[in-house]
């Protein structure tokens, strides 16, 4: 006995350890139907990776009660060894993401334009996995970073996996994949200091952008509200590049892919985004998880813009240039099916982290074009999966494996899980039916486009116009959205320390829109505007507005899928609350209760109402609209609570609809908005008012208030 201490067995809490009682029972668990031994309390028995039952998982094996740990402790070594190796490299871009399962359902046969199996039979469902992401931030960064969102879709078709690895923006920063490492280095944290995290608001990014005029169209998009979406459910997705669809006769049609959200588009405002990041850095992933768990399945329609060589020849821009789009008013989007996400992952690592999207994953009937960005991506994705997932057999991981049969002679390698059987591991062979798989004429054929020309490192002349579509995007926005673009530019550039970089960006803005350049120059306090940047193509085309590019011009006029935060206190009017709940439910929206204490409140009729959030944990930025239902006493209490005052003041500043009862006035006064109440602040007297309130919320925001809340 070392130091005379008794060697009784205790767990980490110092309590006497219950010795595991093993019953003679067995339990069947999991889809695999494995049987497990059952411990006394009905749970399965803990085992090592080798299946050895573990009797003590609280203490390592020691020599004496206070002596050194024995190297012999195989359970300890296995456990620690495995823990030490839990992490894999995070994605070099799009590290932070969130995925879900679902399906794609086809509306109409597209056999006239493509032989792709997925597009043949109306009503057929194809399993899908989707991962949404931010680009620049690390895995642990916050969801509401101002950033492009990745929208990557894996479709497990009957003729192989097809990945559409897109974004929520239809254009890109650069035209040639060779610039991708520079773009990403510039956007991510600066290498010496390791910050800023998940932000482009720093010198390196804007320095690079200012020297790459081809990024200007994308700059307009990323400074718009597209980069602060309300949630993944409220944003569009785009395949970005021009692809080809090829039919059974070998005829090719060009295509651009779109995902249109059923709930319509919606974004938050910047000040809200900043605060959401503090209040709930997982805001977007929680939203997706909650919606699916509640059975309110997020849905998008797949849209196709189809066009032929002739159109491509005549179009103002090169369809191989990923910094350009084709306005929907020029080539309409044909909706051909829907994507529904109806199942959360069982395990984040196994599915969301290990899913490996590759632009090279296409199927018969679909083909690439010569877009130099796409061509480069086809190398990068396969390559990066090797690094991330540790070997060429990442396709054997269930989330990556096709759901159709697959057979080939690729073999061995680390962690090979699906191994060919039989003698033949090569072809041709003369083993007949025993000789394994063979090619089929129905297999993948590349579209036989004619290509020839000298080898050159050159940017085609047809890629040279960097400002016309940037301007088109800007003039297609509502004044509110234009104002947000200007404010975003001023914010980002205000974080740039080098005046020359700010000046260079303004010199590009002058080529896009003079008023915008003026406004930004003014916001930055520039004494004088610079000269417009010299353009590769000096004449900018004056393109028509494209209303499809605006979020607000395409408002859904519905509050479906949105969330109202209701502040209650003891004594809150139960009848009003019930009426509000009914109206919200009828709209297909959600209601969450916020109270001084998370336990809940006793309402006017004595009923106990449970709360979801405590007032300082559920700020109004987490809701699309708010309702203040405190009793007189409750309002007095809340008016002395700074987080309650912030709740109200922020809802007002973020232009939200506010429903309130008369007794809430002291709180509105303390939040300094009692004198500024406008038509989006709606007094609720009886049940009918609650319906009117929810109907008013369909506008989502009361933009007219903007001038009252922004003086600077
Ligand atoms: Fe990329 C990931 C989207 C250009 C190289 N990209 C990645 C993801 C999305 C996109 C959504 C995350 C996939 C996931 O959830 O796992 N990328 C795009 C779009 C682009 C684009 C829409 C332009 C139209 N990407 C692009 C270029 C290159 C890459 C030009 C390199 C030449 N992208 C990668 C990568 C990543 C990636 C390094 C990192 C993790 C991964 O691939 O799986 O290979």
């Amino acid at each position: 006995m070392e130091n005379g201490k008794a060697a009784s067995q205790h767990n980490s809490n110092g309590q006497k350890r219950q010795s595991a009682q093993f019953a003679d029972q067995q339990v069947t668990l999991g889809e695999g139907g494995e049987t497990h031994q059952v411990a006394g309390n009905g749970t399965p028995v803990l085992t090592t990776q080798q299946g050895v039952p573990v009797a003590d998982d609280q203490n390592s094996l020691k020599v004496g009660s206070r002596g050194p740990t024995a190297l012999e402790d195989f359970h300890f070594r296995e456990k620690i060894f495995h823990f030490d190796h839990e992490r894999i490299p995070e994605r070099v871009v799009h590290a932070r993401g969130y995925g879900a399962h679902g399906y794609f359902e086809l509306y109409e046969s597209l056999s006239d334009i493509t032989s792709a199996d997925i597009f043949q039979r109306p009503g057929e469902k194809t399993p899908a996995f989707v991962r949404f992401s931010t680009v620049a931030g690390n895995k642990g960064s916050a969801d509401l970073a101002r950033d492009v969102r990745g929208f990557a879709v894996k479709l497990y078709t009957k003729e192989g996996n097809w990945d559409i690895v897109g974004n929520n923006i239809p254009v890109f920063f650069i035209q040639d994949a060779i610039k991708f490492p520079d773009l990403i280095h510039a956007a991510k944290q600066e290498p010496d200091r390791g910050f800023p995290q998940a932000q482009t608001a720093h010198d390196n990014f804007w320095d690079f952008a200012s020297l790459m005029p081809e990024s200007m169209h994308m700059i307009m998009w990323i400074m718009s509200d597209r980069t602060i979406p309300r949630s993944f459910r409220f944003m569009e997705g785009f395949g970005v590049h021009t692809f080809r669809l090829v039919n059974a006769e070998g005829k090719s049609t060009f295509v651009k892919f779109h995902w249109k959200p059923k709930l319509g588009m919606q974004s938050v405002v910047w000040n809200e985004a900043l605060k959401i990041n503090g209040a709930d850095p997982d805001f977007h992933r929680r939203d997706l998880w909650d919606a699916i768990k509640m059975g309110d399945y997020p849905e998008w329609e797949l849209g196709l813009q189809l066009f032929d060589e002739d159109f491509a020849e005549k179009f103002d821009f090169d369809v191989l240039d990923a910094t350009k789009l084709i306005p929907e008013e020029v080539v309409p989007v044909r909706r051909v099916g829907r994507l529904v996400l109806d199942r959360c992952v069982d395990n984040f690592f196994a599915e969301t982290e290990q899913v490996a999207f590759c632009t090279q994953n296409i199927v018969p009937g679909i083909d690439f074009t010569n877009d130099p960005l796409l061509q480069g991506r086809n190398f990068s994705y396969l390559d990066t999966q090797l690094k991330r997932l540790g070997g060429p057999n990442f396709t054997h991981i269930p989330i990556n494996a096709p759901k159709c049969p697959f057979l080939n002679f690729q073999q061995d390698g680390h962690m090979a899980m699906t191994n060919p059987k039989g003698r033949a591991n090569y072809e041709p062979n003369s083993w007949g039916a025993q000789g394994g798989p063979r090619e089929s004429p129905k297999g993948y054929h590349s579209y036989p486009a004619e290509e020839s020309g000298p080898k050159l490192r050159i940017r085609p002349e047809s890629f040279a116009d960097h400002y016309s579509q940037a301007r088109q995007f800007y003039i297609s926005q509502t004044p509110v959205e234009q104002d947000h673009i200007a404010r975003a530019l001023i914010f980002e550039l205000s974080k740039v320390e080098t005046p020359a970089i700010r000046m260079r960006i303004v010199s590009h803005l002058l080529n896009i829109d003079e008023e915008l350049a003026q406004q930004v120059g003014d916001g930055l306090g520039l004494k004088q505007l610079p000269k417009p940047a010299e353009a590769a193509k000096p004449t900018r085309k004056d393109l028509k507005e494209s209303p499809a590019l605006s979020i607000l011009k395409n408002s859904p006029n519905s509050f479906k899928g949105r969330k109202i935060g209701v502040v209650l206190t003891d004594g809150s009017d139960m009848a009003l609350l019930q009426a509000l709940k009914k109206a919200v439910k009828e709209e297909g929206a959600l209601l969450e209760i916020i109270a001084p204490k998370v336990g809940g409140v006793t309402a006017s009729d004595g009923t106990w109402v449970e709360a979801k959030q405590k007032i300082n944990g559920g700020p109004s930025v987490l809701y699309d609209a708010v309702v203040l239902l405190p009793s007189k006493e409750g309002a007095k209490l809340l008016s002395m609570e700074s987080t309650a005052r912030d709740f109200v003041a922020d809802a007002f500043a973020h232009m939200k609809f506010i429903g309130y009862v008369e007794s809430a006035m002291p709180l509105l006064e303390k939040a300094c908005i009692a004198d500024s109440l406008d038509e989006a602040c709606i007094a609720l007297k009886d049940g009918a008012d609650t319906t009117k309130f929810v109907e008013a919320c369909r506008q989502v925001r009361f933009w007219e208030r903007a001038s009252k809340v922004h003086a600077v």
Side-chain angles (χ1 to χ4, degrees):
M1 240 20 58
E2 204 175 296
N3 294 345
K5 294 235 160 87
S8 65
Q9 292 192 315
H10 288 77
N11 69 14
S12 51
N13 300 327
Q15 292 154 338
K16 187 92 174 128
R17 184 169 59 79
Q18 298 252 315
S19 63
Q21 294 162 8
F22 296 106
D24 256 355
Q25 288 166 277
Q26 296 216 309
V27 65
T28 306
L29 287 178
E31 283 173 21
E34 322 88 62
T35 48
H36 294 261
Q37 271 191 316
V38 180
N41 56 5
T43 57
V45 170
L46 181 77
T47 74
T48 66
Q49 289 282 39
Q50 304 302 321
V52 176
V54 173
D56 183 346
D57 193 38
Q58 317 302 321
N59 304 294
S60 57
L61 186 67
K62 297 177 196 74
V63 182
S65 69
R66 300 176 64 241
T69 302
L71 188 59
E72 177 190 314
D73 190 346
F74 60 88
H75 170 50
F76 167 82
R77 276 189 289 119
E78 181 196 85
K79 185 173 174 182
I80 299 298
F81 143 82
H82 199 277
F83 171 75
D84 291 344
H85 295 270
E86 275 179 11
R87 294 288 168 276
I88 61 172
E90 68 171 35
R91 288 167 174 82
V92 56
V93 275
H94 295 265
R96 182 167 178 82
Y98 208 62
H101 297 269
Y103 59 85
F104 170 74
E105 185 178 8
L106 185 68
Y107 293 158
E108 51 173 322
S109 171
L110 300 177
S111 58
D112 54 334
I113 40 176
T114 174
S115 60
D117 188 76
I118 185 175
F119 291 134
Q120 303 305 304
R121 295 164 296 276
E124 187 168 290
K125 291 181 178 170
T126 300
F129 186 79
V130 179
R131 183 175 180 272
F132 302 104
S133 47
T134 48
V135 180
N138 294 345
K139 234 179 107 177
S141 54
D143 278 354
L144 262 292
R146 179 184 286 287
D147 200 352
V148 181
R149 297 300 182 286
F151 194 129
V153 183
K154 191 179 278 295
L155 295 153
Y156 302 90
T157 88
K158 289 182 176 152
E159 285 193 334
N161 288 354
W162 173 32
D163 294 354
I164 310 180
V165 196
N167 280 339
N168 73 334
I169 290 181
V171 290
F172 202 62
F173 295 94
I174 49 170
Q175 297 172 321
D176 190 316
I178 199 166
K179 295 310 297 169
F180 191 69
D182 300 290
L183 164 71
I184 300 306
H185 287 176
K188 290 190 82 133
Q189 59 268 57
E190 300 189 1
D192 52 355
R193 58 212 70 190
F195 60 81
Q197 169 63 232
Q199 293 185 46
T200 49
H202 60 113
D203 285 54
N204 279 6
F205 174 75
W206 287 100
D207 185 33
F208 179 79
S210 71
L211 299 169
M212 295 288 288
E214 70 199 55
S215 66
M216 284 307 136
H217 186 193
M218 183 71 166
I219 292 292
M220 288 293 105
W221 280 83
I222 63 165
M223 291 296 103
S224 79
D225 295 344
R226 297 266 176 169
T227 45
I228 39 173
R230 156 67 173 79
S231 91
F232 302 132
R233 297 183 294 141
F234 299 102
M235 62 185 205
E236 292 184 321
F238 302 90
V240 181
H241 312 281
T242 301
F243 290 86
R244 282 179 194 277
L245 294 178
V246 184
N247 71 10
E249 286 75 50
K251 182 171 176 279
S252 148
T253 308
F254 288 127
V255 60
K256 282 198 181 262
F257 297 109
H258 296 244
W259 297 108
K260 299 280 188 190
K262 268 286 184 68
L263 292 173
M265 282 184 279
Q266 188 184 323
S267 288
V268 300
V269 296
W270 178 234
N271 181 264
E272 208 180 356
L274 292 174
K275 290 174 178 167
I276 293 173
N277 280 339
D280 185 5
D282 305 309
F283 190 63
H284 282 167
R285 49 177 66 188
R286 193 188 305 282
D287 175 272
L288 190 67
W289 173 273
D290 286 350
I292 296 175
K293 287 286 175 190
M294 277 182 299
D296 185 11
Y297 301 139
E299 202 172 313
W300 290 260
E301 287 190 301
L302 175 64
L304 307 181
Q305 276 183 303
L306 298 164
F307 54 98
D308 57 16
E309 293 274 359
D310 215 36
F311 171 86
E313 284 299 315
K314 288 188 194 132
F315 184 52
D316 286 336
F317 303 94
D318 198 322
V319 299
L320 301 183
D321 174 358
T323 66
K324 307 297 182 313
L325 52 78
I326 303 176
E328 292 183 26
E329 293 78 6
V330 177
V331 176
V333 174
R334 176 168 158 193
R335 297 180 187 220
V336 299
R338 63 184 193 130
L339 172 72
V340 180
L341 297 183
D342 63 355
R343 184 161 62 89
C344 295
V345 295
D346 290 326
N347 183 282
F348 179 86
F349 178 82
E351 295 152 74
T352 309
E353 194 58 17
Q354 293 199 112
V355 67
F357 292 95
C358 293
T359 53
Q360 64 161 22
N361 290 353
I362 50 168
V363 290
I366 299 171
D367 207 343
F368 311 113
T369 59
N370 293 342
D371 175 339
L373 199 70
L374 176 59
Q375 297 275 324
R377 290 179 77 192
N378 286 343
F379 165 70
S380 186
Y381 289 72
L382 179 64
D383 185 43
T384 208
Q385 310 311 349
L386 288 179
K387 165 85 177 174
R388 243 172 30 84
L389 299 167
N393 289 321
F394 68 85
T395 53
H396 297 194
I397 300 171
I399 193 73
N400 294 322
K403 297 197 192 295
C404 62
F406 57 101
L407 276 180
N408 53 54
F409 295 109
Q410 292 162 30
Q411 66 171 32
D412 302 354
H414 287 293
M415 318 287 168
M417 303 299 287
T418 42
N419 299 300
K421 294 198 171 108
R423 183 171 182 181
N425 57 356
Y426 59 93
E427 62 95 24
N429 65 51
S430 61
W431 301 110
Q434 310 306 315
R438 292 287 194 278
E439 301 122 304
S440 153
K442 286 200 220 135
Y444 189 88
H445 290 283
S446 291
Y447 178 72
E450 297 227 358
E451 310 290 354
S452 68
K455 273 192 230 167
L456 297 168
R457 282 190 191 275
I458 203 165
R459 208 57 76 84
E461 189 56 34
S462 54
F463 281 30
D465 177 348
H466 304 317
Y467 299 110
S468 300
Q469 284 206 345
R471 175 173 178 77
Q472 181 179 41
F473 178 77
Y474 182 71
I475 61 169
S476 302
Q477 307 301 309
T478 61
V480 167
E481 291 169 305
Q482 289 184 339
D483 182 57
H484 290 180
I485 293 175
R487 284 174 187 280
L489 280 160
I490 296 165
F491 175 88
E492 294 260 322
L493 294 173
S494 75
K495 303 282 178 185
V496 169
E497 290 163 4
T498 312
I501 298 176
R502 294 185 205 145
M503 287 293 245
R504 271 206 303 275
I505 290 294
V506 177
S507 75
H508 289 296
L509 297 180
L510 281 162
N511 289 344
I512 297 171
D513 187 89
E514 242 186 78
E515 252 178 61
L516 172 66
Q518 287 275 4
Q519 209 179 333
V520 173
D522 184 46
L524 292 171
L526 296 189
K527 295 214 170 65
Q528 209 186 341
L529 287 186
K531 282 201 194 111
E534 276 181 33
K537 200 158 198 166
T539 38
R540 189 189 63 204
K541 288 193 182 74
D542 272 320
L543 302 170
K544 276 199 206 139
E545 281 180 31
S546 165
L549 301 178
S550 152
I551 297 177
L552 296 184
K553 287 180 190 167
N554 297 286
S555 233
N557 194 25
S558 158
F559 202 63
K560 193 174 176 335
R562 277 82 174 168
K563 204 190 261 183
I564 294 186
V566 184
V567 177
L568 297 187
T569 61
D570 284 339
S572 283
D573 184 335
M574 191 61 184
L576 260 188
L577 177 65
Q578 294 294 22
L580 182 65
K581 277 189 174 170
K582 189 163 165 276
V584 169
K585 196 169 174 208
E586 278 167 10
E587 184 70 12
L590 287 171
L591 182 150
E592 221 169 80
I593 289 174
I594 304 117
K597 291 182 185 161
V598 75
V601 298
T602 309
S604 56
D605 65 350
T607 340
W608 180 252
V609 186
E610 275 184 20
K612 171 86 180 176
Q613 301 280 5
K614 176 168 160 14
I615 186 77
N616 68 359
S620 61
V621 292
L622 303 182
Y623 305 100
D624 298 289
V626 300
V627 172
L628 310 172
L629 284 190
S631 62
K632 224 171 172 183
E633 282 306 302
K636 260 193 229 153
L637 173 78
L638 291 180
S639 63
M640 291 183 304
E641 166 59 43
S642 70
T643 55
R645 295 199 298 257
D646 288 349
F647 185 99
V648 180
D650 271 350
F652 189 78
H654 300 147
M655 289 153 282
K656 289 179 181 164
F657 282 75
I658 301 174
Y660 67 97
V661 286
E662 189 56 33
S663 52
M665 281 316 281
L667 179 57
L668 293 167
E669 273 156 27
K670 283 285 182 176
C672 299
I673 64 165
D675 295 337
S676 321
L677 298 183
D678 51 37
E679 58 193 273
C681 302
I682 297 173
L684 307 177
K685 296 199 178 74
D686 54 31
D689 290 339
T690 61
T691 310
K692 275 186 231 149
F693 175 73
V694 173
E695 281 169 8
C697 286
R698 290 177 187 162
Q699 282 181 61
V700 182
R701 304 229 183 212
F702 186 65
W703 296 112
E704 290 84 337
R705 197 185 288 151
S707 59
K708 278 198 216 158
V709 294
H710 287 304
V712 180

